[in-house]
Amino acid sequence: MKKIFFSLVALAALAACSKSEVEYTDNMELSLAPVTRLNTKAAVDGTDYPDALNMFVFANAGEATAALPGGYTEPYFANAEFTHTGRTDITLNTNVFAGVTPYYWPNVKKLIFSGYSKSGNVATMTPKPTYVWDATDGTWEINMTGYAPGAGTAESGNNDLMWFPTTTSSYAKPTTPGESVQVTMKHACAWVTIKIKGDATTGKTGTTWKIKNLSFTDLSQSGNVTLGTEADWTSITTGAEFDVFDRTDDGEEAEPLTTEYVDYTQIDYTDLVIVPQDTKTLYVTYEYVSQEGLAPITEIKPLALTYTGGTGWEAGKHYTYNITLGTSEILILPVLTDWVDVPDANGTDKQL
């Protein structure tokens, strides 16, 4: 950028040589250093925010003396896309994200920030998320309409909506180049993991016991969310059919059971991340051959995914279900009854 110069002309009473120049250095590019929250888990497990997962950021400006956060009412940028730079913050030793289109610090005013990950359908969401002041809570919040996590991809976090609440401190232009604003990401959705194995019979090598389908009949797949200090979900959609795993089409090979747990939410999806809602019933469709030479038998087993201590799948929590599909051997216990002699119908011997 070009340097900005301000010329100060001395008053006439001063010597003619009193003209001077005050030089302002180039504005520093604004950058963020995101980490995920330590005490929660979701599809992004741990505290290392994924390098490939861009984010969208809001910034509001205000005077250095303005009360926080209500005094910072001037939009500085909104839904600005930030991407991984490959640089490392000089003080935090964490990866740095900066604007796809670079953004620079104001020289005088300070900024507050809030942002969310480029996950699910946020990039195409209509209307775009908005940054609004909640007078009841006394905070700035991000409003989203119709967020849907989607199926995810091979890239971590693509269906895991994360956000950082409005910073409780304001930030001025750093005095040292390379400094970034550290923000702590939180998880707005719930994460459900379904693992299945067989027992010593159903999971043995060469088993005919195979999983064909795992599905819900009433899974809610989108909703509206306000991202403030916590994720507040409303207008959750009516539940609909949803296949977690499906091998029911002709020609598709069902998944044989093993004696080790297999994560079925990692086969057709990259983790099952869902909007928070009440727990549902999982329908497990499996097949097996009861006798060599016969056609496979198919059964559907409903499993209520309830758990102790709660009734719903909550934001920021990871629920793991370990399911064992076993069988009981068919046993027959024969009991004999003694013969009963039936006498001649006439009660006497017949003479011929």
Side-chain angles (χ1 to χ4, degrees):
M1 289 184 65
K2 295 182 179 179
K3 293 184 177 181
I4 304 172
F5 293 93
F6 288 87
S7 295
L8 302 180
V9 179
L11 295 176
L14 298 179
C17 63
S18 62
K19 183 178 179 181
S20 63
E21 291 183 332
V22 179
E23 178 181 331
Y24 281 72
T25 59
D26 288 346
N27 283 348
M28 294 182 194
E29 186 177 1
L30 193 154
S31 60
L32 304 176
V35 297
T36 52
R37 200 168 72 173
L38 292 172
N39 60 345
T40 60
K41 293 181 178 180
V44 174
D45 200 359
T47 61
D48 185 15
Y49 186 85
D51 292 350
L53 186 61
N54 285 8
M55 66 174 67
F56 294 100
V57 182
F58 292 90
N60 275 11
E63 298 294 340
T65 58
L68 280 174
Y72 286 75
T73 58
E74 299 178 71
Y76 197 70
F77 50 72
N79 293 302
E81 187 168 358
F82 275 53
T83 191
H84 185 251
T85 64
R87 304 194 302 265
T88 300
D89 182 84
I90 61 172
T91 58
L92 301 174
N93 196 31
T94 55
N95 292 333
V96 169
F97 282 65
V100 173
T101 298
Y103 295 93
Y104 296 91
W105 289 94
N107 280 322
V108 176
K109 294 186 176 182
K110 300 174 74 175
L111 301 176
I112 59 173
F113 302 93
S114 186
Y116 57 96
S117 60
K118 190 177 181 179
S119 303
N121 66 333
V122 297
T124 58
M125 190 175 289
T126 303
K128 288 185 176 182
T130 56
Y131 201 41
V132 296
W133 171 252
D134 187 332
T136 302
D137 295 337
T139 57
W140 287 91
E141 299 173 335
I142 299 172
N143 281 350
M144 289 186 178
T145 301
Y147 176 77
T153 68
E155 293 182 1
S156 179
N158 270 22
N159 57 348
D160 176 12
L161 177 62
M162 290 175 279
W163 92 103
F164 66 92
T166 298
T167 52
T168 55
S169 299
S170 59
Y171 295 87
K173 181 174 68 173
T175 57
T176 304
E179 289 184 355
S180 305
V181 177
Q182 183 177 20
V183 294
T184 302
M185 310 298 290
K186 301 172 70 173
H187 300 284
C189 294
W191 179 15
V192 175
T193 294
I194 299 168
K195 298 181 179 181
I196 302 179
K197 72 172 183 177
D199 61 15
T201 298
T202 61
K204 67 182 179 182
T205 302
T207 183
T208 65
W209 290 73
K210 299 177 181 180
I211 302 295
K212 295 184 66 176
N213 180 269
L214 301 175
S215 63
F216 297 101
T217 60
D218 58 347
L219 189 74
S220 299
Q221 298 175 45
S222 67
N224 300 344
V225 62
T226 297
L227 302 174
T229 54
E230 300 297 334
D232 182 17
W233 289 88
T234 57
S235 301
I236 302 298
T237 55
T238 302
E241 293 184 5
F242 184 88
D243 289 326
V244 178
F245 171 82
D246 187 30
R247 295 293 184 272
T248 56
D249 291 341
D250 292 340
E252 288 191 320
E253 182 66 22
E255 188 75 15
L257 290 174
T258 68
T259 53
E260 300 293 331
Y261 283 114
V262 173
D263 184 352
Y264 279 77
T265 58
Q266 286 280 0
I267 297 177
D268 290 349
Y269 295 86
T270 302
D271 299 317
L272 179 59
V273 177
I274 58 174
V275 298
Q277 58 193 283
D278 291 338
T279 58
K280 306 297 182 181
T281 295
L282 177 71
Y283 291 86
V284 182
T285 303
Y286 57 93
E287 67 177 19
Y288 60 94
V289 176
S290 60
Q291 184 181 32
E292 187 175 357
L294 296 181
I297 299 292
T298 298
E299 295 183 322
I300 301 175
K301 176 70 174 179
L303 296 174
L305 299 185
T306 55
Y307 61 92
T308 302
T311 59
W313 291 319
E314 300 175 3
K317 294 186 179 180
H318 182 193
Y319 301 87
T320 299
Y321 296 90
N322 293 324
I323 301 168
T324 300
L325 182 57
T327 185
S328 297
E329 185 178 1
I330 297 175
L331 302 176
I332 298 177
L333 178 63
V335 177
L336 297 179
T337 58
D338 202 2
W339 292 102
V340 176
D341 291 329
V342 179
D344 181 79
N346 294 327
T348 61
D349 293 337
K350 293 185 179 296
Q351 299 291 325
L352 295 179

